[in-house]
Amino acid sequence: MRDVLVIGGNRYFGKRLIGRLIAAGDRVTVLNRGSAPPPAGAIHLVADRDDEAALNSALGDRAFDAVVDQVCYTPRQAVIARRVFGGGRTRRYVMTSTVEVYEYEDSLVYEDTVVPVREDAVDPRTVPVRLELPWHKPEFRETHYGEGKRQAEAVFASASADDTGTGSDTDSASTAAGGTEFPYSAVRVAHVLGGDDDFTGRLDHYAQRIRTSTPIAVPTENRPATYIHVEEIADFLFWTVGEDFTGPVNAASHGLLTTEELCAAVARHIPNGRTVFRNVDVGKVSPFSFSRSYGMDNSRATELGFTFGRVQEWLPRAVAETLGAEAGRKGFGEG
């Protein structure tokens, strides 16, 4: 029986991950601020992960075979986590990261290509860490989501106080984090779809506009993206807990999906609706439309032994799961 700690994230795919761990016979502990109870069968610890003293107090002398960190958004949080869980407290640390680590200022990774990007396009060992930025402000974290994840990966990736990439604050970050190699993996998650508990409202954004024939804003040059089903990312994280590879890994189903294809799948649930696109060069666009490609190469995970599904095969089911209850309430027919 493994002893696994899950930090935050006990809804959506986090809830499914916890269920899989418990079903496998693992001893599962969920740590959060107490805002929501964990699924039945899990041990519950309450602490603010930003409060190092409170985190240490809640954990006591417990050690873990694996930690899955679902809510690490900033390098400051990563520094605290590395101090708390370093020194042998865990055999394996899995950070849930994001496809958005590949989009950053002056990045050409996605600018002019639709070729899926590999993990080495962003090497966390070379990413500058800037602890002095206002990471404590929610609005700053929200507008710097990809940057926060990228710098958090950099903290976990630093091998020592002298091997932390470049930048104004990387040496202090590594020293604060303990200055020793850390057994981490960063799962760079594609855009997640599916489930009747999708709380994001992104598919509903399209459903509402198709139902009312309201124009859907997309970039003039609208690029495709990679996606992953909510059950598949839960499977992937569960699999990752039991593996021993380190470093970043892309988690995405096979195949690219355009906004047009996504909307076509949504429109099948709205037979009296109409899909209208409006091209914009400046301003806010719809949730799953991108001026840069968001395609990730999943070959590293595939070579390590994980089998992904194909987005075109599970997309109709994912849309039906999410819009099913909504369709019933708003008169969306079955197409």
Side-chain angles (χ1 to χ4, degrees):
M1 179 176 68
R2 299 176 300 190
D3 204 335
V4 181
L5 173 68
V6 179
I7 304 176
N10 59 318
R11 63 176 178 172
Y12 204 34
F13 62 82
K15 175 181 67 178
R16 289 165 171 81
L17 167 64
I18 293 167
R20 283 159 170 76
L21 292 166
I22 292 172
D26 295 320
R27 183 185 188 212
V28 181
T29 300
V30 175
L31 185 145
N32 60 28
R33 290 177 295 183
S35 57
I43 300 165
H44 191 195
L45 297 179
V46 177
D48 182 347
R49 59 104 27 88
D50 293 326
D51 185 334
E52 186 171 349
L55 188 54
N56 272 314
S57 177
L59 292 170
D61 61 358
R62 290 190 59 185
F64 302 93
D65 295 298
V67 175
V68 182
D69 192 342
Q70 295 274 69
V71 289
C72 186
Y73 301 118
T74 76
R76 290 184 183 180
Q77 292 175 328
V79 165
I80 290 173
R82 184 159 175 179
R83 275 199 298 247
V84 170
F85 293 100
R89 191 190 281 270
T90 184
R91 178 187 61 82
R92 180 159 182 72
Y93 199 96
V94 178
M95 172 197 168
T96 301
S97 189
T98 175
V99 60
E100 292 184 39
V101 301
Y102 295 112
E103 181 174 1
Y104 53 95
E105 187 177 0
D106 298 327
S107 168
L108 297 178
V109 172
Y110 281 124
E111 190 67 40
D112 299 310
T113 180
V114 295
V115 176
V117 65
R118 296 177 61 90
E119 290 86 354
D120 57 7
V122 173
D123 184 347
R125 295 170 298 181
T126 66
V127 170
V129 175
R130 299 187 61 193
L131 298 178
E132 80 281 3
L133 294 176
W135 297 111
H136 62 288
K137 295 182 178 180
E139 63 276 12
F140 183 84
R141 289 199 306 269
E142 183 176 350
T143 57
H144 294 78
Y145 177 71
E147 182 61 29
K149 289 285 190 180
R150 188 163 44 250
Q151 292 191 29
E153 284 192 29
V155 171
F156 291 131
S158 57
S160 70
D162 299 319
D163 184 18
T164 58
T166 60
S168 63
D169 212 8
T170 49
D171 287 345
S172 61
S174 182
T175 301
T180 57
E181 190 170 355
F182 194 69
Y184 92 103
S185 291
V187 178
R188 294 173 177 172
V189 183
H191 304 290
V192 182
L193 293 174
D196 60 3
D197 55 341
D198 181 353
F199 61 90
T200 66
R202 291 175 294 190
L203 281 185
D204 188 55
H205 173 95
Y206 292 109
Q208 292 281 14
R209 280 155 179 76
I210 292 171
R211 183 168 65 92
T212 58
S213 302
T214 302
I216 297 167
V218 297
T220 301
E221 186 68 35
N222 193 18
R223 306 278 189 167
T226 41
Y227 293 81
I228 192 164
H229 191 274
V230 62
E231 301 290 348
E232 188 169 43
I233 187 55
D235 286 339
F236 188 88
L237 289 168
F238 175 78
W239 170 78
T240 301
V241 166
E243 298 296 307
D244 59 5
F245 64 86
T246 58
V249 61
N250 291 337
S253 297
H254 297 300
L256 295 168
L257 185 65
T258 66
T259 311
E260 290 78 7
E261 290 170 315
L262 181 61
C263 286
V266 172
R268 294 188 185 100
H269 291 262
I270 314 171
N272 297 319
R274 188 166 67 98
T275 304
V276 180
F277 293 107
R278 176 170 59 89
N279 292 334
V280 297
D281 293 317
V282 179
K284 191 173 182 179
V285 296
S286 61
F288 291 127
S289 56
F290 310 103
S291 57
R292 295 182 176 190
S293 173
Y294 273 83
M296 291 196 296
D297 185 318
N298 63 16
S299 59
R300 183 181 188 218
T302 300
E303 290 164 2
L304 286 167
F306 189 83
T307 302
F308 290 102
R310 305 198 69 83
V311 64
Q312 295 290 356
E313 294 177 358
W314 58 251
L315 177 62
R317 171 168 60 95
V319 173
E321 291 166 352
T322 302
L323 296 185
E326 194 72 11
R329 288 196 299 271
K330 297 185 178 178
F332 298 167
E334 288 293 324

